[in-house]
Amino acid sequence: ENPRSDVTPDAFATPAGLLGGISGVYNALRGAWGTEGFTINQMAGTDEHLMGGSAQNQRVFTYNGLSSTDYNGGFGFYASINALNGILEKGPTTPGLDAATLKLYLGQAQFLRAYIYFYLVQTYGNIPLRATFVTEPSQAAAPAPASDIYNLIVSDLTTAITNLPNTPTAPFLGKAATVGAAKWLLAKVYLTRGWLNSSNADFQLAYTTATELITNRAT
């Protein structure tokens, strides 16, 4: 068998496979946040989304009449998480990849994994934590402490800030992640974790990160 339509694990041992994996995750995000239904599923009921006069599924805005099936779609993101784990594991040993390009690839993967896990932990709380590349099917999964998930998110974003460019750089042009995007998300992560844990230290980190972003906005 020579698969043509599916990405196989060995694809991440090639520069084209790494780039394709990152592009595939961005496509998954577009499919989630780029549609009305899933955007409502993910953002309704928060201070980032207002209910319009003709909004559908108003129960997700008001929390009145929610069912167990209203928020089950997000777990499909684990396919993207596994792809990103593969990129982060295989990237450093991929032949034919220069150091500058590898840095860009790893920065994108770190940002995207943090972005997805941040959404999942906010929505579902203690969720399974996968930080290694899975190549064999398994039914073993257990909720991880939210603190462990937040630690991975902070680690990913902190490292991504050192790997990402200040402005979109080929091959990640358009609206791909940059240093500014990673700092914005990291500030929000600190603010959220601080609220959950009543942590003044996290509030200070949120303030420092956001201030740094605002101060250096010209770059």
Side-chain angles (χ1 to χ4, degrees), residues 28-190:
L29 295 184
R30 182 178 68 173
W33 274 269
T35 61
E36 179 185 7
F38 206 47
T39 299
I40 290 174
N41 178 283
Q42 295 179 94
M43 304 302 292
T46 73
D47 58 4
E48 297 183 351
H49 202 81
L50 291 176
M51 181 175 67
S54 59
Q56 301 297 310
N57 301 323
Q58 295 190 11
R59 65 185 181 281
V60 297
F61 291 91
T62 62
Y63 305 123
N64 183 19
L66 291 175
S67 71
S68 60
T69 62
D70 280 323
Y71 294 95
N72 58 8
F75 284 97
F77 278 133
Y78 275 98
S80 293
I81 289 171
N82 199 48
L84 296 167
N85 288 342
I87 292 164
L88 292 169
E89 284 189 20
K90 304 293 185 182
T93 58
T94 296
L97 198 61
D98 63 88
T101 304
L102 173 61
K103 188 176 180 180
L104 288 175
Y105 286 11
L106 296 181
Q108 292 293 331
Q110 289 154 347
F111 173 86
L112 288 167
R113 186 169 70 173
Y115 185 89
I116 292 171
Y117 263 127
F118 186 45
Y119 162 68
L120 290 175
V121 74
Q122 287 181 98
T123 305
Y124 303 106
N126 296 355
I127 55 174
L129 177 61
R130 289 279 184 268
T132 57
F133 190 37
V134 178
T135 59
E136 296 293 333
S138 172
Q139 292 181 314
S147 58
D148 291 349
I149 300 164
Y150 273 101
N151 286 341
L152 178 66
I153 294 169
V154 169
S155 175
D156 274 351
L157 290 175
T158 302
T159 310
I161 288 169
T162 68
N163 287 330
L164 290 170
N166 283 339
T167 57
T169 302
F172 302 107
L173 300 174
K175 301 191 186 307
T178 60
V179 169
K183 288 184 177 180
W184 160 78
L185 186 58
L186 181 58
K188 188 174 180 181
V189 168
Y190 283 139

